Structure formats: structure tokens, C-alpha cells
Amino acid sequence: MHTSRTKPPAQGPAADLEHQKAAITSLGHELRALVEATVRTAASPDTLHRVADGVRHLTGQLTGRRRARAEIPEVDDFPAGPRMYSPVTGAGSPLAPPMHITLAPDGLIGRCVLGIAHEGPPGYGHGGMSAMLLDEIMGRACVTAGMPGLTVSLQMRYHRPVPLETPLNILGRVTGTDGRKIFVTGSVTAQEDPATELVTADGVFVTPDLRRTRALFPDL
């Protein structure tokens, strides 16, 4: 008689890494919810002091070795893959929207929703957030084109305010090269109205030479 067997769960370093990523993602999600609740609350001072004590206690539980300033986390795939603590795309970051990036017909598209924690003018995103989103997608476009580069210049044009709590598209594409220079364009639009550009950018990125790369990223 044939009996089916349940496939045993994966084990080993790869499984441990995925388990770590899942835990980081879960904590990041809850931290983003905490940040959003913090900037929206009208709780009393007593409540805020009590919550602050609780958060201080939680922070004390994050024990163990802390990574150094330039150390690349083992859960990251740098420079081409996901970075768990990126302030733009990181699932583990309390600061990130986070933006999810996929291939577009002529570049990359990022999708995210800015919350109240990202507010500049009331009801709209801070202009610096638009710059950060575009810098990320345009830099990733360079990597996808096989030319990883560092930002040299980013010229921003703010056409309309970027609404909060609204699904956004962030586009980036490489338009040309000149030696180690890479020319990239980007835009931010609302998903419900992709034809109307809210913010656009032109950027210049430069692929560092091997000596400079080693100096900047000694842990690679």
C-alpha cells in the first residue's frame, strides 16, 4: 500500500537564513505600524510615557553583537539583491514604505504607499522622500543594466504634491552612457493616474573603478 509522506522542512544554512529573513520582516512590519501609530496618536502624556518605557524595555531585548558601520548583513544580497534594512525597500526597516521593485518594459518600477510618517506638507509626502525613492529606483536601474553606479547628481522637478496613503508608481530607466557615466531618468506617479507625473528626475551615476570600489566597500 502506497502512503504519501510530507516533505520535511528544509534544513541547513539556507533554511536558517530564510528563517532569519522572515523574523526580520515580521519585526519590521510591526515597527512600521508602531511608527505610524506614534505620529498619528493623540494619546495622553501618561500613556506616551508608559509606551516609551515599554519600548525602552523592548530595545533592551535586542542583545548580542551589533554589526559594524560598513558591515554587510548576512541577510543582504549586495549590491544587486534585496537589502533587508534599506530605508527605501527594506522589509525590516521601520523607516521604509517599503517599496517593492519589479521589471518594467524599459527599466524598473517600484510600488509603495507613503504614510503619515513620511509627511511634509499636510496630507502630502516630504519632498526628500520623493528624492530618496527616485534615487533608489534609478540606482537599481543601473544595476539591472549591468552597470552598478553611485549617484553623482540628481536633478529633481516637483510638478505636483505626492499624496499620502495613495498607491504610487516610481519609475527608473537608463537612457545612455558615456564611459563610466550612466544617465538615468525617473518619475513618480499615482497608480490611479499613471499619465500624470508628480515628480521627475534626471540623474548621473558613475561606476567606480576597482580601486575605489575596494576602498568604499572593504567587506565585499
Side-chain angles (χ1 to χ4, degrees), residues 60-139:
Q61 296 184 48
L62 296 176
T63 58
R65 189 184 74 84
R66 293 174 180 256
R67 63 184 173 97
R69 178 179 64 87
E71 181 181 352
I72 300 169
E74 63 176 5
V75 291
D76 282 6
D77 183 11
F78 182 82
R83 301 191 64 193
M84 295 299 292
Y85 298 110
S86 162
V88 183
T89 61
S93 170
L95 308 176
M99 180 168 67
H100 178 66
I101 298 175
T102 57
L103 288 172
D106 58 349
L108 294 177
I109 181 169
R111 294 181 173 87
C112 68
V113 176
L114 297 180
I116 302 299
H118 306 119
E119 188 174 54
Y124 298 96
H126 192 289
M129 284 301 304
S130 295
M132 188 163 67
L133 294 173
L134 284 165
D135 186 50
E136 178 75 17
I137 198 76
M138 293 163 73

Side-chain angles (χ1 to χ4, degrees), residues 24 43 45 59 64-65 67 134 155 170 197 209 218:
I24 291 170
T59 301
R65 189 184 74 84
R67 63 184 173 97
L134 284 165
Q155 183 176 2
I170 299 89
E197 293 179 328
D209 60 28

Side-chain angles (χ1 to χ4, degrees), residues 14-30 32 75 84-85 91-92:
D16 292 342
L17 198 60
E18 289 306 311
H19 185 63
Q20 182 76 4
K21 288 181 179 180
I24 291 170
T25 298
S26 178
L27 177 58
H29 175 78
E30 297 304 329
R32 287 189 293 275
V75 291
M84 295 299 292
Y85 298 110

Side-chain angles (χ1 to χ4, degrees), residues 14 19 51 67 81 93 96 107 114-115 122 137 139 153 164 169 193 196 200 215 218:
H19 185 63
V51 172
R67 63 184 173 97
S93 170
L114 297 180
I137 198 76
S153 69
L164 299 176
N169 289 336
D193 184 15
T196 301
T200 56

Side-chain angles (χ1 to χ4, degrees), residues 2-3 17 28 30-31 35 43 53 56 59 66 87 99 128 130 132 137 144 148 152 171 178:
H2 175 73
T3 57
L17 198 60
E30 297 304 329
L31 288 175
V35 169
D53 290 339
R56 190 177 303 112
T59 301
R66 293 174 180 256
M99 180 168 67
S130 295
M132 188 163 67
I137 198 76
T144 300
V152 172
L171 302 171
D178 180 10

